[in-house]
Amino acid sequence: MKILVTGHAGFIGFHTAKRLLERGDSVVGFDSVNDYYDPAIKEARLKILEQTAKETRNDYLSIRANLADQQAVAECFNEHHFDRVIHLAAQAGVRYSLENPLSYVESNLIGFTNVLEACRYSSIAHLTYASTSSVYGANTLMPFSEHEGANHPLQFYAATKKANEMMAHSYSHLFGLPTTGLRFFTVYGPWGRPDMALFKFTKNILANEPIQVFNYGCHTRDFTYVDDIVEGVIRASDDIATPAFEWNSDNPDPATSNAPFRIFNIGNNDPVTVNIYIEAIEKALGRKAIKDLLPLQPGDVPDTYADSSELEKKVGYRPATSVFHGVAKFVEWYRSYYSPNKASSTISEIHSLPK
């Protein structure tokens, strides 16, 4: 198939595009390659995609443009006939949304609208897009289920992702566009974002510097390894959303519809405390962390826990990588990427990244 992957220079987008190329698909990537975090790691990911395309002899094109640019998006869709669209581009980060909410409006709302419009007029067979576990917000009934309402997000980032789900439903209803939204649960792994906890913890422990541990490390997260996420994304994309004819408007299921619309969780279904997560990093590094124990941050959700049974039921897959195995794979990548010869310059570069 010929597949558009937005955000292909990003963490999950890169892994998804690479997997698609490896299985024999043609990939067009669309990414602004902005400087929210160090663009060098994005450029390195793009070089790997180029190399993968050469090795697999599959077509690959990288478009550098902003999804908020309606003309650029329209030109992309006019030039290419896509069998699927996998939309993973977004302004990420929970805490950054407290500082710069307008960037989330541009990327997550305007950009997504442009993607929906392009899919509508191009009669795309299936749009699969990234949502987030953060939409569950103030919910406390565990594990989180797609069939329960998620109407109380605690950060603007989560609110924009919840809006994406509702926007997708309107296009599924009005124009028959099949859409699948995927609520990712705390994704980690090789080639991850430098602004995320695993990256920060690893570089600080190696530098013998303290790590900030909020909520005293007692909150739990359903940490999900990136390869598991990618497997779920691709399987969901391959399986085109269809209307749920048993859907009851008197008792509406928020995860399905009488339109070709659905929502899935993708989580490990095995939450652990942040302290256990740090223990996995310490084990992989062979070093102990210096912990700066702090209270819960504003906007942080105390716990996340995914019910991924619907994903398994529909596409036959459920994430299962343990935190200790996944973290070890990240540390292996980290050591290889930040080689000893560039350690001193790398440490200074990483310390300059956004907190």
Side-chain angles (χ1 to χ4, degrees), residues 169-306:
H169 182 266
S170 69
Y171 272 70
S172 295
H173 171 74
L174 290 170
F175 311 114
L177 172 65
T179 64
T180 296
L182 301 172
R183 293 174 177 170
F184 299 152
F185 280 70
T186 317
V187 190
Y188 73 99
W191 294 99
R193 297 198 334 251
D195 63 315
M196 297 185 75
L198 179 56
F199 214 109
K200 290 181 175 182
F201 288 173
T202 298
K203 63 97 174 175
N204 275 29
I205 293 170
L206 285 173
N208 200 35
E209 296 183 358
I211 61 173
Q212 293 185 323
V213 183
F214 294 98
N215 200 33
Y216 313 102
C218 296
H219 51 301
T220 60
R221 289 289 180 269
D222 208 346
F223 296 102
T224 311
Y225 190 60
V226 66
D227 286 357
D228 289 345
I229 290 287
V230 169
E231 185 68 24
V233 168
I234 293 176
R235 289 196 186 205
S237 176
D238 288 345
D239 185 83
I240 298 175
T242 57
F245 294 107
E246 72 279 8
W247 192 79
N248 183 356
S249 60
D250 289 334
N251 184 26
D253 176 2
T256 61
S257 175
N258 56 5
F261 162 92
R262 63 189 181 186
I263 300 291
F264 290 134
N265 290 333
I266 304 188
N268 207 44
N269 200 228
D270 185 25
V272 300
T273 66
V274 170
N275 282 325
I276 295 295
Y277 194 53
I278 294 169
E279 183 183 328
I281 302 170
E282 292 174 326
K283 182 177 180 180
L285 291 173
R287 298 191 183 195
K288 299 296 284 185
I290 304 169
K291 299 179 183 179
D292 182 10
L293 300 176
L294 299 166
L296 193 69
Q297 292 188 103
D300 266 5
V301 176
D303 304 290
T304 66
Y305 180 5

Side-chain angles (χ1 to χ4, degrees), residues 32 44-45 64 104-105 109 126 144 151 155 166 169-170 185-186 228 237 252 268 279 300 314 316-317 319 325 349 353:
S32 65
R45 293 172 185 145
R64 297 197 180 208
Y104 293 77
V105 172
L109 298 180
H126 193 198
F144 291 144
N151 299 314
Q155 324 92 7
M166 299 299 92
H169 182 266
S170 69
F185 280 70
T186 317
D228 289 345
S237 176
N268 207 44
E279 183 183 328
D300 266 5
K314 191 63 180 176
Y317 182 73
H325 177 76
E349 287 172 7
L353 294 172

